[in-house]
Amino acid sequence: MTHWKAILQDSITTYSALQKHLDCNNTALKEVIANFPMRINPYFLNLIKTPHDPLWKQSVPDPAELDDAICIDDPLDEENLSPVPNLVHRYPDRALFLVTNQCAMYCRFCTRKRKVGTSRMCISADTINAGLDYLTKTPEIKDVLISGGDPLLLDDEVIDTLLLNLRKIPSIEVIRIGTRVPCSLPMRITGRLVAILRKYHPLYINTHFNHPAEITPEATRACALLADSGIPLGCQTVLLRGINDDPAVILALMRGLLRIRVKPYYLFQADLTRGTNHFRTHTDTGVAILRHLIGKISGMAIPTLALDAPGGKGKIPLSPDFILERGKNLIFNSYCGKVCTYPEAGEAF
Ligand SMILES: *Cc1c(COP(=O)(O)O)cnc(C)c1O
Ligand code: SF4
């Protein structure tokens, strides 16, 4: 198997390389790429079957990225919620620790589009040490989410040292890694990598699949290797217009994830990130999709539909409403639309 770094090295990163591989003549794309980096690695490129299919839309730049007068650079106010650079402390007991600016591909809808893959996201031994220091001095943080960028693009030794240093902080109970490589570059998941990861349990991985076509034999192998190492796997999917904003697509994706031992965790409403407005869906669409899933597939396959509140106010669930009336009896719709009654505790039946 070709080494993952060699595969990554062959990525499309320039307009001229893009012309050679895909049919998208549009010089406006040069300006898009100058503003927001592009990286389409050969593995993901190979999954694109037709122009503007769901995998194309996730990875190939679009002039619409420059035509966004609505969204803002940092919709979740991450910079203001960072007590030290690249560590976001928004919730009392957990923190988001950004440890690299690199990804195996640059998703066009990325929430951190303002800085991912660019020199605007400045990560060094100093920022990592400042983060570790903050975590040591803030024992109320019990759960650290390592993210970026994609932490699994770091070298094995760097990951080992980082996890070792986190495990030296006694107040940290759970370590989570947010990574898209099981989907975007599954060859990165090697026996050597999982031998490192499994030393640091309880360690969870939240990965990121958006479309059933991403569930390939390679992705299946990568997730099996991780799951066999005792790492619980979750998935954070983003609802994206023209990509997966369809009940049948999301249903197939959630089923497919369970099959590869990944538990759907969040289904996110797209953030208000500058350059991504064309991907946003109406919140009604997400709620209708979730409503469609409930009862049709196992509860195991149903994620929480969540909206990350603008201004860094935290994630809130958006739930379909089954309740018709509250009182002595709770009156509600069943999943297939039958009206049901449940007498409340303390009421006569
Ligand atoms: C999403 C997020 C978390 C984790 O939230 P969970 O609901 O625990 O998955 C923590 N910190 C920040 C800043 C986040 O954006
Ligand atoms: S892998 Fe994640 S962090 Fe990287 S570009 Fe895609 S969405 Fe953004």
Side-chain angles (χ1 to χ4, degrees):
M1 194 157 77
T2 317
H3 194 275
W4 63 273
K5 281 193 182 172
I7 298 172
L8 204 57
Q9 204 66 47
D10 266 345
S11 298
I12 299 172
T13 59
T14 62
Y15 179 67
S16 58
L18 186 64
Q19 296 316 291
K20 282 189 201 119
H21 290 93
L22 295 172
D23 181 20
C24 53
N25 252 318
N26 184 345
T27 48
L29 294 181
K30 282 188 194 168
E31 203 192 331
V32 179
I33 297 163
N35 279 268
F36 304 115
M38 164 177 67
R39 178 180 278 166
I40 310 171
N41 71 56
Y43 168 77
F44 205 83
L45 177 68
N46 197 275
L47 300 182
I48 297 175
K49 297 303 174 210
T50 51
H52 308 285
D53 74 10
L55 287 83
W56 168 303
K57 286 182 182 164
Q58 291 186 62
S59 54
V60 179
D62 186 315
E65 293 174 44
L66 295 178
D67 183 25
D68 178 355
I70 291 169
C71 298
I72 55 177
D73 282 334
D74 183 11
L76 308 180
D77 214 17
E78 292 187 333
E79 304 300 339
N80 286 325
L81 289 169
S82 298
V84 297
N86 299 310
L87 187 141
V88 188
H89 189 185
R90 177 200 291 169
Y91 295 111
D93 70 329
R94 51 211 195 277
L96 179 65
F97 191 11
L98 309 180
V99 298
T100 174
N101 69 355
Q102 295 293 301
C103 297
M105 73 170 194
Y106 294 119
C107 312
R108 306 321 299 170
F109 52 83
C110 180
T111 273
R112 251 164 246 130
K113 202 173 170 82
R114 68 183 183 279
K115 60 180 186 176
V116 154
T118 76
S119 55
R120 294 187 292 276
M121 188 168 189
C122 196
I123 289 166
S124 63
D126 284 348
T127 66
I128 303 268
N129 285 332
L132 289 167
D133 246 22
Y134 181 80
L135 294 168
T136 307
K137 286 193 219 121
T138 318
E140 56 273 28
I141 297 173
K142 310 273 181 230
D143 177 349
V144 177
L145 267 97
I146 308 171
S147 184
D150 197 316
L152 296 189
L153 278 211
L154 296 170
D155 285 337
D156 290 352
E157 296 68 31
V158 177
I159 294 170
D160 198 2
T161 306
L162 176 68
L163 293 173
L164 183 74
N165 285 328
L166 285 170
R167 274 288 168 240
K168 282 185 189 152
I169 304 172
S171 42
I172 295 177
E173 294 170 6
V174 166
I175 297 175
R176 284 195 258 175
I177 297 178
T179 173
R180 203 175 180 193
V181 299
C183 168
S184 58
L185 186 68
M187 349 16 226
R188 170 60 185 112
I189 308 299
T190 61
R192 192 160 181 268
L193 175 67
V194 298
I196 292 169
L197 299 178
R198 67 184 309 161
K199 295 190 289 181
Y200 300 104
H201 279 310
L203 181 126
Y204 288 67
I205 285 185
N206 279 329
T207 185
H208 177 172
F209 286 79
N210 289 331
H211 194 276
E214 295 164 354
I215 303 180
T216 61
E218 292 89 343
T220 304
R221 183 208 62 95
C223 291
L225 207 52
L226 293 166
D228 285 348
S229 308
I231 302 170
L233 301 174
C235 184
Q236 308 196 161
T237 298
V238 186
L239 207 53
L240 298 163
R241 188 159 79 186
I243 294 176
N244 61 11
D245 57 340
D246 176 311
V249 171
I250 292 290
L251 190 142
L253 174 63
M254 299 304 148
R255 252 193 219 293
L257 288 170
L258 274 197
R259 216 165 46 233
I260 63 169
R261 288 192 275 169
V262 176
K263 166 84 184 76
Y265 176 41
Y266 279 131
L267 175 61
F268 283 120
Q269 176 69 25
D271 292 326
L272 291 167
T273 304
R274 193 193 309 281
T276 70
N277 192 45
H278 55 297
F279 287 118
R280 292 200 304 135
T281 52
H282 197 285
T283 56
D284 287 350
T285 304
V287 172
I289 289 175
L290 207 70
R291 175 75 181 76
H292 176 82
L293 297 185
I294 291 170
K296 294 224 178 41
I297 51 174
S298 159
M300 294 258 296
I302 297 184
T304 299
L305 175 65
L307 169 63
D308 222 329
K313 302 293 189 295
K315 298 174 181 67
I316 56 141
L318 301 175
S319 311
D321 196 2
F322 288 87
I323 295 175
L324 300 169
E325 202 182 307
R326 290 172 203 274
K328 290 183 174 174
N329 291 312
L330 187 75
I331 303 178
F332 60 97
N333 270 319
S334 76
Y335 82 92
C336 42
K338 286 219 164 68
V339 177
C340 305
T341 301
Y342 174 84
E344 293 293 359
E347 301 294 341
F349 187 31

